[in-house]
Amino acid sequence: MAREGGLRLLGLTVSPFVVRVRMALQLKGIGYEYIEQDLFTKGELLLVSNRVHKKVPVLIHDGKPVCESLAIVHYVDEVWAATGPSILPADPYERADARFWAAYADSKLLPAWVGIMWAATEEEKAEKVGDTLTAIGHLEEAFGKCSKGKPFFAGDSVGYLDLVLGSQLLWFEALRKMFGVVVIEEGKAPLLSAWVKRFGQTDTAKEVVPDVDIAVQYLKKLQSHRPGSTVAQLLS
Amino acid sequence: MAPHVLASALSKPIGFRQSASLDEVRSGGLRFGSSHLLLAVGSSLPPLRIRTAVAAAETRTEPLLAAGDELKVLGTWRSPFALRVRLALNFKGLGYEYLEEDLDNKSDLLLQSNPVTKKLPVLIHNGVPICESLVILEYIDEKFAAIGPSLLPADLYERAMARFWATYIDSKLVAQWLKMFRANTDKEKAEATRETIEAVETLEGLLLSADGQSKKPFFGGDDPGYVDVVLAGMIAWMQGTKALCGVELLDAAKTPLLLEWMERFAELDAAKLIMPDLDNLVEFAKVKRAKMMNQN
């Protein structure tokens, strides 16, 4: 892996927002210095690099910080356009489609499953599970349309939407272990279910995604610290 | 009325001009108008003659971009998100048909075009729908890269910054503004107000150059760009905040640059005819909020 001088990533190993950036860098074969952050006691570098939000991930390229996971993924794809595979497709309509579903995965699916973890009542939990499954239903349909019979959302190999949704899978495993909730069930979402297995087999996933127990431990730590939490506080 | 075409060639890079004839019809609180936007291109390219029409609802104009190319925008006159799309198309000099939606009675076209979220705006290009305002803006910029100015900057780091600020505007300014507007308790309102004001002050700071010594006319620099278009959708809503929420979001002491920017932006040909009327917007929002509260 080519070591790129002056490339650092401030992150949290279990954060889906960080995982997708690491996946993008892995896909491109770009080396970088990874610096794990303590989000309970934020370090100077993080505070200075992301003054506005003080959140991870932050990619620091030749001293200049890039923030917001999707902006970072686009940046990596554009700066290293000549290196490795493209993360976003070439066609403007396909790019728009990938971006639409990525935005959907982040704004509809993610807050729903995070809501399961923080639900105060059984009723609220059931509601969040419902929202999660509805979102998965739409993504199942999207997979059919985007993949056109190929193994990944992006086609023959992983791309933007695979990374955005793939970065959340770790937590689906954690939800199963801790709450008995199955987010992607083979009977209800067969295409996605098969995709999950395939995605897990890729180098991208194997090299970047931490073990589910690390996510479980982190959630337990969060639960003991902050009763009730927004996505922002949880994972970035 | 038949649009007529004027052409002009300039040696300076991209600028916008308006033709002499301009019709305004005031109807039911909405302003309709048609304008002929000229696209002036830098001297390295031949001058382009482009016809655009800002369409009144239900009136089919002649929006064809090129033979066989058809653009439609589904929106409402007050939607900050739909406004972004129309601004982007106007900036690029692209003709389109604008269809005003009734959100209490969504059209079949909208429901078919955006079955997932059923929301506006939707851009329909040759029958193919694209949804989510920021996604649409990037689509317009990429699909029509050869036409008109670019929305996103060329420099890759600046592009990342532009995308960052667009996300900021949606997740901080817009989201908090809505919370402030809809707040049921004093506590909720106070918190959302604080966040909204903080977002406005942060955006004010963006209009200063990096060294803090000079002012930028637009978020995009000398010319308007992506961030300008994204924020412009909220101009009328920000101006209406005093009347709607009793909150002074903008003032000459704290947000002088934003106030200048708003004036400057609203004068642009691409913006002039489609910015919603402030009084109508405030009245609409008050009525809508009252309805929502009655329903609760």
Side-chain angles (χ1 to χ4, degrees), chain B residues 250-257 259:
Chain B
L250 305 163
D251 81 57
K254 290 196 186 144
T255 62
L257 301 181
L259 284 168

Side-chain angles (χ1 to χ4, degrees), chain A residues 96 100, chain B residues 72-89 96-103 106-107 109-125 128-140 170 174 229-230 233 274:
Chain A
F100 172 85
Chain B
K72 290 185 196 189
V73 175
L74 308 185
T76 65
W77 61 273
R78 60 213 177 253
S79 162
F81 310 107
L83 187 54
R84 292 170 177 171
V85 174
R86 298 165 75 188
L87 287 166
L89 291 168
Y96 59 94
E97 183 185 358
Y98 172 68
L99 298 168
E100 178 78 17
E101 280 284 329
D102 175 358
L103 291 182
K106 292 180 179 179
S107 72
L109 183 59
L110 171 56
L111 297 174
Q112 282 158 23
S113 302
N114 190 357
V116 178
T117 67
K118 306 177 177 54
K119 285 194 191 172
L120 298 169
V122 180
L123 176 73
I124 307 178
H125 182 200
V128 177
I130 298 108
C131 309
E132 282 303 312
S133 67
L134 299 186
V135 174
I136 297 171
L137 292 185
E138 293 228 33
Y139 175 79
I140 290 169
D170 272 357
V174 177
V229 169
V230 172
I274 59 174

Side-chain angles (χ1 to χ4, degrees), chain B residues 77 181 236-237 239-241 243-244 277-288:
Chain B
W77 61 273
F181 176 65
W237 291 96
Q239 289 169 332
T241 304
L244 288 171
D277 178 83
L278 183 55
D279 294 331
N280 291 332
L281 191 80
V282 167
E283 198 193 307
F284 170 85
K286 280 184 176 168
V287 168
K288 186 74 192 265

Side-chain angles (χ1 to χ4, degrees), chain B residues 197-213:
Chain B
I197 290 175
E198 192 184 309
V200 169
E201 287 173 357
T202 302
L203 292 168
E204 167 80 10
L206 281 191
L207 287 169
L208 280 171
S209 63
D211 59 10
Q213 295 306 310

Side-chain angles (χ1 to χ4, degrees), chain A residues 29-45:
Chain A
I30 302 162
Y32 59 96
E33 184 191 356
Y34 176 73
I35 311 173
E36 179 80 352
Q37 301 298 301
D38 176 358
L39 296 184
F40 293 91
T41 314
K42 291 179 181 177
E44 192 59 31
L45 184 56

Side-chain angles (χ1 to χ4, degrees), chain B residues 25-265:
Chain B
V25 173
R26 202 179 191 131
S27 164
L30 301 178
R31 277 214 183 99
F32 302 95
S34 76
S35 145
H36 312 291
L37 298 176
L38 308 175
L39 185 66
V41 184
S43 56
S44 56
L45 294 170
L48 290 175
R49 292 155 205 248
I50 292 190
R51 212 164 46 163
T52 68
V54 177
E58 294 159 19
T59 306
R60 188 170 276 279
T61 60
E62 295 163 65
L64 295 183
L65 169 66
D69 234 345
E70 188 191 56
L71 287 167
K72 290 185 196 189
V73 175
L74 308 185
T76 65
W77 61 273
R78 60 213 177 253
S79 162
F81 310 107
L83 187 54
R84 292 170 177 171
V85 174
R86 298 165 75 188
L87 287 166
L89 291 168
N90 286 357
F91 272 124
K92 302 248 326 150
L94 295 165
Y96 59 94
E97 183 185 358
Y98 172 68
L99 298 168
E100 178 78 17
E101 280 284 329
D102 175 358
L103 291 182
D104 293 325
N105 187 19
K106 292 180 179 179
S107 72
D108 287 339
L109 183 59
L110 171 56
L111 297 174
Q112 282 158 23
S113 302
N114 190 357
V116 178
T117 67
K118 306 177 177 54
K119 285 194 191 172
L120 298 169
V122 180
L123 176 73
I124 307 178
H125 182 200
N126 296 338
V128 177
I130 298 108
C131 309
E132 282 303 312
S133 67
L134 299 186
V135 174
I136 297 171
L137 292 185
E138 293 228 33
Y139 175 79
I140 290 169
D141 213 26
E142 290 169 354
K143 188 73 183 177
F144 302 107
I147 299 176
S150 289
L151 292 174
L152 279 163
D155 177 76
L156 299 180
Y157 184 75
E158 293 302 318
R159 286 166 82 85
M161 292 304 288
R163 287 174 174 138
F164 172 87
W165 288 112
T167 306
Y168 180 88
I169 288 165
D170 272 357
S171 66
K172 291 290 171 194
L173 179 69
V174 177
Q176 293 298 336
W177 193 97
L178 280 169
K179 278 190 187 163
M180 176 181 65
F181 176 65
R182 292 172 182 166
N184 287 317
T185 67
D186 285 337
K187 188 179 165 197
E188 271 173 31
K189 187 172 173 185
E191 196 184 310
T193 302
R194 213 172 23 246
E195 297 272 354
T196 307
I197 290 175
E198 192 184 309
V200 169
E201 287 173 357
T202 302
L203 292 168
E204 167 80 10
L206 281 191
L207 287 169
L208 280 171
S209 63
D211 59 10
Q213 295 306 310
S214 57
K215 306 181 286 190
K216 297 197 298 187
F218 296 101
F219 291 95
D222 290 329
D223 295 305
Y226 184 68
V227 177
D228 297 272
V229 169
V230 172
L231 185 58
M234 283 299 285
I235 288 176
W237 291 96
M238 287 194 280
Q239 289 169 332
T241 304
K242 181 76 196 280
L244 288 171
C245 305
V247 170
E248 197 83 70
L249 211 56
L250 305 163
D251 81 57
K254 290 196 186 144
T255 62
L257 301 181
L258 269 175
L259 284 168
E260 283 171 27
W261 171 80
M262 287 182 179
E263 243 180 278
R264 192 179 296 125
F265 192 91

